[in-house]
Coordinates of all heavy atoms in Angstrom, one line a residue:
L402 N 11.4 -17.1 3.6 CA 12.1 -16.1 4.5 C 13.6 -16.0 4.2 O 14.2 -14.9 4.1 CB 11.8 -16.5 6.0 CG 10.4 -16.3 6.4 CD1 10.2 -16.8 7.8 CD2 10.1 -14.8 6.3
P403 N 14.3 -17.1 4.1 CA 15.8 -17.0 3.8 C 16.0 -16.4 2.5 O 17.0 -15.8 2.3 CB 16.3 -18.5 4.0 CG 15.1 -19.3 3.9 CD 14.0 -18.6 4.4
V404 N 15.2 -16.8 1.5 CA 15.3 -16.2 0.2 C 15.2 -14.7 0.2 O 16.0 -14.0 -0.3 CB 14.3 -16.8 -0.8 CG1 14.4 -16.1 -2.1 CG2 14.5 -18.3 -1.0
A405 N 14.2 -14.2 1.0 CA 13.9 -12.8 1.1 C 15.1 -12.1 1.9 O 15.5 -11.0 1.4 CB 12.7 -12.6 1.9
Y406 N 15.7 -12.8 2.9 CA 16.8 -12.3 3.6 C 18.0 -12.1 2.6 O 18.7 -11.1 2.6 CB 17.1 -13.1 4.8 CG 18.3 -12.6 5.6 CD1 18.2 -11.4 6.3 CD2 19.6 -13.2 5.5 CE1 19.3 -10.9 7.0 CE2 20.7 -12.7 6.2 CZ 20.5 -11.6 6.9 OH 21.6 -11.1 7.6
G407 N 18.2 -13.2 1.8 CA 19.4 -13.1 0.9 C 19.2 -12.0 -0.1 O 20.2 -11.4 -0.4
R408 N 18.0 -11.8 -0.6 CA 17.8 -10.7 -1.5 C 18.0 -9.3 -0.9 O 18.4 -8.3 -1.5 CB 16.5 -10.8 -2.2 CG 16.3 -12.1 -3.0 CD 15.2 -11.9 -4.0 NE 15.0 -13.2 -4.9 CZ 14.3 -13.3 -5.9 NH1 13.5 -12.3 -6.2 NH2 14.2 -14.4 -6.6
S409 N 17.7 -9.3 0.4 CA 17.8 -8.0 1.1 C 19.3 -7.5 1.2 O 19.5 -6.4 1.5 CB 17.2 -8.0 2.5 OG 18.0 -8.9 3.4
L410 N 20.2 -8.5 1.0 CA 21.6 -8.1 1.1 C 22.2 -7.6 -0.3 O 23.3 -7.3 -0.3 CB 22.4 -9.4 1.6 CG 21.9 -9.9 3.0 CD1 22.8 -11.2 3.3 CD2 22.1 -8.9 4.1
L411 N 21.4 -7.8 -1.3 CA 21.9 -7.4 -2.6 C 22.2 -6.0 -2.7 O 21.5 -5.1 -2.1 CB 20.9 -7.9 -3.7 CG 20.7 -9.4 -3.9 CD1 19.5 -9.6 -4.9 CD2 21.9 -10.0 -4.3
M412 N 23.2 -5.7 -3.6 CA 23.5 -4.3 -3.9 C 22.3 -3.6 -4.6 O 21.6 -4.2 -5.3 CB 24.7 -4.2 -4.9 CG 25.1 -2.8 -5.3 SD 26.4 -3.0 -6.6 CE 27.7 -3.7 -5.7
P413 N 22.0 -2.3 -4.3 CA 20.9 -1.6 -4.9 C 21.0 -1.8 -6.5 O 22.1 -1.7 -7.1 CB 21.1 -0.2 -4.5 CG 21.8 -0.2 -3.2 CD 22.7 -1.4 -3.3
Y414 N 19.9 -1.9 -7.1 CA 19.7 -2.1 -8.5 C 20.4 -1.0 -9.2 O 21.1 -1.1 -10.2 CB 18.3 -2.2 -8.9 CG 18.1 -2.5 -10.4 CD1 18.1 -3.7 -11.0 CD2 17.8 -1.4 -11.2 CE1 17.9 -3.9 -12.3 CE2 17.6 -1.6 -12.5 CZ 17.6 -2.9 -13.1 OH 17.4 -3.1 -14.4

Side-chain angles (χ1 to χ4, degrees):
L402 289 176
V404 175
Y406 180 72
R408 294 199 180 187
S409 72
L410 302 177
L411 294 175
M412 180 187 298
Y414 182 83

